Amino acid sequence: MKKFKFKLNRKALSITYTSFIRPHLEYASDVWGGCSLTNAEKLEQVQLLAARIVSGLPIFASKTSLYYETGWIPLFSRRKIARLETMYKVDKNIIPFYRRDIFPDKRGNASSY
């Protein structure tokens, strides 16, 4: 993206990131979402670098200001939302059949205690 920093406008840079780079950072995040904090920070640094390129803010700009300028959500929040969406689909039985086998059957509300 650094090559295109001075050739493309802000919107085009943002679309480039969200279309070509972020899918690689989020691929199968439902499965590996519980990764170590170190690895999660490395992924977050990639997004922050892209946010600096898109927004044009200097290196000392805070994460909050980068996310505010770009309108992006931090990757850890996106992973959490993806996990919640998956669990909702499991609960409502609208998940694809090939993923349904991974999750155990729901237990009833009755308890023996």
Side-chain angles (χ1 to χ4, degrees):
M1 284 186 54
K2 285 183 181 181
K3 291 179 183 179
F4 301 115
K5 183 177 182 178
F6 300 108
K7 295 179 182 177
L8 298 175
N9 63 13
R10 185 177 185 164
K11 185 176 180 180
L13 286 170
S14 181
I15 291 172
T16 301
Y17 170 75
T18 56
S19 300
F20 296 109
I21 298 171
R22 189 163 66 187
H24 289 281
L25 300 177
E26 293 181 336
Y27 180 75
S29 65
D30 294 359
V31 177
W32 59 263
C35 66
S36 69
L37 190 59
T38 306
N39 289 333
E41 278 296 318
K42 287 179 183 179
L43 291 171
E44 200 69 37
Q45 291 302 321
V46 173
Q47 177 159 303
L48 289 172
L49 176 62
R52 286 187 206 293
I53 292 170
V54 169
S55 66
L57 292 176
I59 192 90
F60 54 83
S62 68
K63 291 179 184 181
T64 309
S65 62
L66 287 170
Y67 286 128
Y68 179 76
E69 281 289 320
T70 56
W72 297 344
I73 300 173
L75 289 175
F76 71 87
S77 296
R78 292 182 59 83
R79 286 191 297 271
K80 184 176 180 180
I81 292 168
R83 285 193 308 266
L84 289 171
E85 287 174 347
T86 300
M87 292 312 297
Y88 175 80
K89 290 176 183 178
V90 167
D91 185 51
K92 300 300 181 189
N93 205 19
I94 54 176
I95 196 165
F97 71 93
Y98 55 86
R99 293 183 74 183
R100 215 174 284 153
D101 298 337
I102 298 171
F103 298 98
D105 293 332
K106 288 195 297 187
R107 299 175 112 185
N109 291 335
S111 176
S112 61
Y113 295 103

